[in-house]
Amino acid sequence: MSSVYPDPDQPEPVDHFDRLPDSVLLLVFNKIGDVKALGRCCVVSRRFHSLVPQVENVVVRVDCVISDDDCSSSSSSSDKSRALVGPFSNLFRLVFGGIVKPLQALGQFLGPKRSVLNETLNSLSSSSLFVAPGVGDDGEMDHGGVTHHSPTQVLRNFNEIRFLRIELPSGELGIDDGVLLKWRADFGSTLDNCVILGAASVINNGISPEFGVGNGDDNGSIPETFYTNGGLKLRVVWTISSLIAASARHYLLQPIIADHKTLDSLVLTDADGQGVLCMNRDQLEELRVKPLSASSASKRTLVPALNMRLWYAPYLELPDGFVLKGATLVAIRPSEQSASKNEVSDASWLSNAFEGPYGTAAKMLVKRRTYCLEMNSF
């Protein structure tokens, strides 16, 4: 048997990648962002393993929704797995559990059609969220041969996160096909503001009309049929449901915010683009200094008393050929805050809440007649 030895006279091959400084590698890792991809980078080399925890830009995509029944059967074989479910693992149960009660209380007010939504929420109220394999040696839960981690546990492996984006697999609110419902909420220790855009249906005309309202005799007022055909009742459901979904997301972010004091921006969204919760550095620090007030009814942040402004168009044509039927925009601020703020319709946060055609729709709606509403804390 013969052995092959390196020629001592030949210089060792140079790995040019190793010549890159750490700062350049961190730029690459920050461009990657995805927590699972970064987890794979960790196992490439000791150098990568030491650099990944220094990444400042992290994206966590929640991959799966598992019923609590399945979770309990899996976790019964491991106390550790049960302990590592974490705050996000029960997100759907907490959010939907909180929404069902207000909707059931409105049951007779909304009529039999809305009971379908109640059934949908009940059917989804026992689900849990997990992130597929990524960074971290603990925080595991084995389900169907696949190891899952809670986002809170995964993120504890990062020391210097500044920009964090968490994406849920779908929006929490079950809505009928063709219905448009989007919301964006900003929080500190409590709700700072929320914008909701909805439409009973979205139609693509396939043409680009001279966009506008589309009704020649429309004067910006809400028609009487809006109150008699259930239009107002439906908007009440949209508003309450969106606020509860936002406050439940906010409540569950507490441990992540406490663990990562370097955060400058935190966004919690979903793959459907239904809802976006945002917190900037000042709002994050406010939550650390001033603990949130929790709702006594469920595990979510207490929604304060609110002032709301509503804009409505029966028929809204957008420049790209889309038509929103029953287009509605609701701008929400806490009552205490509204007294010291400029008019909601003049605020930049309202016009910039949505992107693309939805942003265009919001800008068109705020030019119409404004209707004011109030809501008590819940």
Side-chain angles (χ1 to χ4, degrees), residues 146-363:
V146 178
T147 301
H148 300 283
H149 307 262
S150 72
T152 303
Q153 192 69 29
V154 169
L155 291 170
R156 284 176 183 159
N157 294 274
F158 294 88
N159 306 319
E160 301 181 24
I161 302 177
R162 293 182 58 202
F163 307 99
L164 174 60
R165 178 184 176 90
I166 301 175
E167 185 177 292
L168 305 178
S170 62
E172 298 95 330
L173 308 179
I175 55 176
D176 297 333
D177 291 340
V179 174
L180 170 68
L181 180 58
K182 290 183 173 292
W183 59 265
R184 176 194 164 115
D186 285 49
F187 277 82
S189 60
T190 186
L191 178 70
D192 277 351
N193 59 70
C194 181
V195 187
I196 302 169
L197 177 66
S201 63
V202 181
I203 303 171
N204 185 1
N205 280 344
I207 58 175
S208 296
E210 289 295 328
F211 59 93
V213 170
N215 289 341
D217 58 350
D218 180 49
N219 60 3
S221 300
I222 293 179
E224 188 65 28
T225 54
F226 180 78
Y227 304 100
T228 59
N229 66 2
L232 177 60
K233 301 172 185 178
L234 180 58
R235 273 69 182 179
V236 170
V237 172
W238 288 352
T239 301
I240 293 176
S241 301
S242 298
L243 287 170
I244 292 178
S247 62
R249 290 189 188 187
H250 179 250
Y251 182 89
L252 296 170
L253 290 172
Q254 291 178 92
I256 293 175
I257 295 171
D259 287 345
H260 300 280
K261 294 181 171 55
T262 56
L263 277 172
D264 287 336
S265 171
L266 193 160
V267 175
L268 177 51
T269 184
D270 56 78
D272 294 338
Q274 185 181 93
V276 181
L277 183 149
C278 301
M279 298 182 72
N280 60 31
R281 184 171 186 82
D282 291 339
Q283 292 166 329
L284 291 162
E285 187 59 30
E286 178 186 318
L287 179 59
R288 296 189 188 101
V289 175
K290 181 182 178 182
L292 59 80
S293 298
S295 168
S296 59
S298 58
K299 292 185 177 180
R300 60 174 178 82
T301 302
L302 183 71
V303 178
L306 304 170
N307 283 346
M308 302 185 293
R309 298 197 174 206
L310 182 146
W311 296 266
Y312 176 81
Y315 187 83
L316 193 69
E317 295 181 356
L318 303 181
D320 57 2
F322 283 91
V323 175
L324 305 184
K325 298 186 69 174
T328 308
L329 183 70
V330 183
I332 303 168
R333 280 192 186 277
S335 299
E336 294 181 357
Q337 199 180 99
S338 299
S340 59
K341 296 285 183 179
N342 293 330
E343 290 294 309
V344 173
S345 57
D346 296 331
S348 60
W349 61 271
L350 182 56
S351 59
N352 297 325
F354 306 106
E355 298 179 350
Y358 306 115
T360 302
K363 292 175 183 178

